[in-house]
Amino acid sequence: MTSALPQALPYALIATDLDGTLLRAGDAVSARSSAALRAARAAGARHIIVTGRPVPQVRHVLDGLGYRGLAVCGQGAQVYDAATGALLHSVAMDRELAEVALGKIEAEVGEVYAAVNQEGLDAEMLMGPGYRMWHPHLPTVAVARRSDLWSSPINKVLLQHPRLSDDELTAVARSVVGDLVNVTMAGEHTVELQPPGIDKASGLAVAAELLDVAASSTIAFGDMPNDIPMFAWSAYGVAMADAHRELLAVADEVTLSNESDGVAVVLERLFA
């Protein structure tokens, strides 16, 4: 990443996380942020959403925004074309590998509560016993047994622990199964296991190639550790004011919070 940002340098690609970054509470994008993105597009930049949510849990947000571009979803496992409704790229997670990883983690810390995002455009999020959805506006299906989570192809596993913090659970999972799967923390109460090699950077690289845009022309915005690979891939990384300390440590710039239009503040400066 670069160490300094020329004040008026416009980037060809603007990559934004959603939760805690572009979105305010209630999955809303402010009028100011919308206007700043429109101005950037008018200046010739492309905007791409890069989110941990799978397509079924983000499509309503894209529709509400009138978003017609590509979106990297499912923590990098999916590239979705909002204009056509087509899934252009998708990587499934081996379900046997997921079971093995869960078993190894539980051997270290005791029972964990698990959920999965199924693979596909209209797939469901299945929650096993004990798992709690902290975003009640997102659709979920509760299942009676852990084994029911593996009924259809999946693209990631979500974990919670009754006592360990998110940081503690992430650290343990990485130490135990980090050589088998990608472990990331995507937000509060959201520790995830993904296929090896899959993260926001891998998905963004696929989408950027489709758009014929280089990493060296990309500015990225985020707030959580799952955005670290995206910052490393991009030319410039901007963290929100209340971002996780791990992301703050690698950011090129810290802007205001999502509730204070931190994305817009930077874009207005760049594309004024």
Side-chain angles (χ1 to χ4, degrees):
M1 289 188 287
T2 59
S3 59
L5 176 65
Q7 285 295 307
L9 177 65
Y11 288 86
L13 185 63
I14 302 162
T16 62
D17 172 48
L18 282 181
D19 296 286
T21 301
L22 184 62
L23 295 183
R24 288 182 168 184
D27 281 0
V29 177
S30 73
R32 181 179 178 183
S33 292
S34 295
L37 285 167
R38 283 197 302 272
R41 290 194 298 269
R46 313 284 286 273
H47 173 221
I48 188 166
I49 285 171
V50 185
T51 177
R53 297 192 199 186
V55 172
Q57 291 186 345
V58 78
R59 198 157 35 197
H60 68 286
V61 177
L62 303 181
D63 291 344
L65 289 173
Y67 186 83
R68 306 298 288 170
L70 300 185
V72 177
C73 304
Q75 218 64 267
Q78 300 172 318
V79 176
Y80 173 68
D81 186 344
T84 64
L87 197 57
L88 305 182
H89 174 79
S90 188
V91 180
M93 185 171 192
D94 185 284
R95 284 170 280 178
E96 290 185 9
L97 178 62
E99 280 195 282
V100 168
L102 280 179
K104 288 180 175 291
I105 294 169
E106 289 185 320
E108 290 291 319
V109 299
E111 183 182 19
V112 297
Y113 307 141
V116 300
N117 286 143
Q118 292 182 320
E119 175 76 351
L121 282 174
D122 298 304
E124 296 175 315
M125 178 178 179
L126 305 184
M127 300 190 305
Y131 191 91
R132 180 179 176 186
M133 169 49 80
W134 293 83
H135 302 285
H137 58 285
L138 296 179
T140 58
V141 176
V143 298
R145 299 175 302 274
R146 167 77 63 84
S147 59
D148 294 333
L149 297 176
W150 321 122
S151 59
S152 297
I154 64 173
N155 56 46
K156 65 178 175 179
V157 180
L158 302 92
L159 306 179
Q160 294 171 357
H161 193 275
R163 297 180 307 278
L164 297 179
S165 70
D166 300 322
D167 287 318
E168 290 169 336
L169 180 56
T170 300
V172 170
R174 282 180 179 158
S175 68
V176 175
V177 298
D179 59 336
L180 298 177
V181 296
N182 184 40
V183 181
T184 190
M185 197 225 299
E188 191 175 11
H189 312 295
T190 313
V191 178
E192 301 182 355
L193 309 180
Q194 303 158 249
I198 298 300
D199 56 28
K200 284 192 174 184
S202 68
L204 181 54
V206 171
E209 184 174 0
L210 292 171
L211 296 173
D212 194 25
V213 179
S216 59
S217 299
T218 302
I219 183 171
F221 295 82
D223 72 310
M224 294 301 292
N226 64 325
D227 295 313
I228 291 174
M230 179 169 69
F231 276 27
W233 184 87
S234 302
Y236 198 78
V238 182
M240 314 311 288
D242 48 2
H244 191 279
R245 65 181 183 278
E246 292 181 10
L247 189 69
L248 291 171
V250 300
D252 294 299
E253 179 179 342
V254 179
T255 186
L256 300 182
S257 71
N258 59 317
E259 296 293 340
S260 298
D261 292 313
V263 171
V265 167
V266 176
L267 294 183
E268 287 165 356
R269 185 185 78 223
L270 291 172
F271 296 95

